[in-house]
Amino acid sequence: MTEPLHQSRRPGIRAAMFVDFDNVYTGLMVLDPGAAKRFAEDPKHWTEALAGGVTGEDSRRFLIRNCYLNPVIYSKYRPYWTRAGFRVIDCPSLTQRGKSSTDINLVLDAMDALSGAGHIEEFFVASADADFTSLVQRFRAADRMTTVIATGAVAFAYREMADSVVESHDFVAILNGTSADIPRMVTSAGLAPLRTAPPASGSARTAADEVRTLVQAAPGPVTGAVAAHWALTADPSLKTDWGGYGKFGAWIAQIGQGVQYSSTPSPGWVWDAKRFSPELSVLAPEGRPAIEEQVSRVTDVPALSPEQFRQVFLSLESKLREHPGNRSELARSVRDDCVTAGQPVSRSAVNFVIQGVVSAGGSLTDEMTAGELAAAWTRNVEELCRLALMEFDDAEKLALKRWAGGGLLESGPGGPHLP
């Protein structure tokens, strides 16, 4: 008797890949033209990297590979994609404003795959276009894993609806072949966010070690968001339930060596009890969460202090003269320079800032000053807040610029100045 289909399937997660070529390619051209070329001309390479690169139950089998592109502009890339096993769907411009039919074609094909006989378990959508938020919601409602490949600013709702997001800098690293030091956490639960800041002393260094080092070296109490960011950078798995402790505060309480935490005053603080008393004097106006807490919580902007942001821009200005064309080496050098300057910042946070500077129109050239880098980054943060529908009063807008700009945008008594 023939064995039932569900028992005879080959191992591996059954996945589908839907690529909005125009959106991804144009986003990559802003970030890294070389990576954009490799994306367009060697789709097999990065598809295999996302599949896990190994055979087994935790690898992916892309049963569906669809690429949607405008044939008027990008037809020369078609042979590369068909050779890599992709079905290429022509999506020419349908309006005078250049709007193509990619969205409707991708959504219709994805919904067919969702209800089809292939029993797709994980859907990949390569696009930063928030118009696909409703589509990702349908995937989740059907209990399917979803992964978004982003090459630009992503609306918060779109990001949060996905189970995983392959960030721009991680995708660029894959395309450039510089992702060897990025652990690919490929499991049946999906692709965990790729981490670009390995613990300073190798795999033996734990998240608790990272937080202790941060707090003990800090010139004062550290916001809970900053400490949590460092912990999650070192060990993303803590995001589930904080190592079995349920809450961040309970996890902090057990790491020892004088590190303490209090949720009040807002936004919550972690400090070295050997150097500081529990009478914390840093209060947010009128009891509201500080601006950095609000923005970091909603937009995923790294919860750095103004001093840390300032040092990132100063280090970027210096290191751009040494590594103008190597994003991976630039991020590593900036991270190391910040540590040396006494303002430790994770490599993933540096990558996030670099990506934001480029997304806001800043150029990574040796002519960029720290102030210009800060201005571009601040524009990016303001845009992320706009996409997340965050609303601020005038005082909060001023605080946002002072925080994100690291104080480099101040211009005398007239307040912040954006070039």
Side-chain angles (χ1 to χ4, degrees):
M1 184 173 178
T2 304
E3 196 175 39
L5 178 62
H6 71 274
Q7 294 181 5
S8 60
R9 288 187 182 125
R10 293 168 54 190
I13 300 169
R14 297 182 298 281
M17 172 73 73
F18 299 91
V19 180
D20 181 349
F21 183 96
D22 301 28
N23 182 278
V24 176
Y25 183 78
T26 54
L28 287 172
M29 283 297 292
V30 173
L31 296 171
D32 187 327
K37 187 174 186 294
R38 282 181 278 277
F39 161 77
E41 296 182 357
D42 193 5
K44 181 179 179 181
H45 165 73
W46 57 264
T47 304
E48 289 181 347
L50 293 176
V54 295
T55 301
E57 294 183 357
D58 289 338
S59 64
R60 290 179 178 81
R61 295 175 55 225
F62 285 107
L63 304 185
I64 297 173
R65 303 184 185 196
N66 285 1
C67 173
Y68 304 83
L69 59 75
N70 186 334
V72 177
I73 305 174
Y74 301 117
S75 61
K76 65 180 180 180
Y77 296 117
R78 176 192 298 276
Y80 299 108
W81 291 75
T82 55
R83 185 176 62 189
F86 276 80
R87 171 176 167 244
V88 178
I89 297 91
D90 288 340
C91 299
S93 298
L94 300 178
T95 68
Q96 292 181 344
R97 294 184 178 181
K99 179 67 174 176
S100 76
S101 57
T102 290
D103 291 11
I104 186 64
N105 280 313
L106 192 155
V107 169
L108 289 174
D109 288 343
M111 291 305 296
D112 285 345
L114 181 63
S115 60
H119 303 284
I120 301 299
E121 299 170 285
E122 183 172 11
F123 287 82
F124 279 68
V125 178
S127 178
D129 190 342
D131 288 348
F132 294 122
T133 302
S134 296
L135 177 64
V136 175
Q137 287 177 325
R138 293 295 295 270
F139 294 152
R140 287 184 66 91
D143 194 22
R144 311 298 172 88
M145 298 296 296
T146 57
T147 296
V148 168
I149 301 174
T151 56
V154 181
F156 183 71
Y158 183 36
R159 174 187 295 275
E160 287 300 296
M161 191 54 60
D163 292 293
S164 303
V165 177
V166 180
E167 302 289 357
S168 299
H169 55 269
D170 289 325
F171 194 44
V172 168
I174 292 172
L175 292 166
N176 289 339
T178 58
S179 58
D181 62 336
I182 303 175
R184 283 201 308 266
M185 306 182 72
V186 183
T187 68
S188 58
L191 179 72
L194 300 174
R195 182 166 60 86
T196 57
S201 299
S203 59
R205 192 170 176 86
T206 66
D209 293 330
E210 293 295 307
V211 172
R212 278 194 294 265
T213 299
L214 167 70
V215 173
Q216 291 169 354
V222 177
T223 64
V226 169
H229 174 75
W230 272 63
L232 293 172
T233 297
D235 185 358
S237 69
L238 288 174
K239 188 174 183 179
T240 304
D241 65 349
W242 287 102
Y245 291 92
K247 296 182 178 180
F248 171 69
W251 180 81
I252 282 286
Q254 55 82 40
I255 70 175
Q257 296 188 21
V259 176
Q260 296 188 13
Y261 169 76
S262 174
S263 60
T264 57
S266 180
W269 299 88
V270 182
W271 69 96
D272 180 1
K274 297 178 181 179
R275 295 186 295 140
F276 304 104
S277 70
E279 285 79 29
L280 305 176
S281 59
V282 186
L283 294 170
E286 302 177 0
R288 297 179 63 183
I291 194 69
E292 56 265 35
E293 170 69 8
Q294 297 180 56
V295 174
S296 298
R297 186 169 56 199
V298 174
T299 68
D300 287 341
V301 167
L304 306 182
S305 67
E307 294 75 20
Q308 286 174 309
F309 275 128
R310 182 186 185 90
Q311 186 57 53
V312 168
F313 303 132
L314 293 172
S315 296
L316 260 176
E317 178 184 33
S318 172
K319 297 304 177 181
L320 274 171
R321 292 167 172 76
E322 300 176 21
H323 310 286
N326 188 327
R327 282 275 296 272
S328 179
E329 185 59 35
L330 175 64
R332 184 181 294 109
S333 295
V334 170
R335 177 199 62 189
D336 294 344
D337 197 54
C338 289
V339 171
T340 301
Q343 295 292 345
V345 176
S346 70
R347 189 175 164 196
S348 62
V350 174
N351 267 314
F352 198 102
V353 171
I354 291 174
Q355 176 186 322
V357 168
V358 175
S359 297
S363 59
L364 296 180
T365 67
D366 56 7
E367 298 178 354
M368 289 287 284
T369 66
E372 290 170 335
L373 292 164
W377 163 249
T378 302
R379 290 196 300 271
N380 176 71
V381 173
E382 291 173 329
E383 175 64 10
L384 291 175
C385 292
R386 186 190 68 79
L387 290 173
L389 303 180
M390 299 184 72
E391 296 182 358
F392 302 120
D393 58 30
D394 290 342
E396 289 172 323
K397 290 177 181 177
L398 183 63
L400 172 65
K401 292 178 179 178
R402 286 174 173 167
W403 166 62
L408 292 173
L409 305 183
E410 301 290 337
S411 181
H417 168 68
L418 288 177

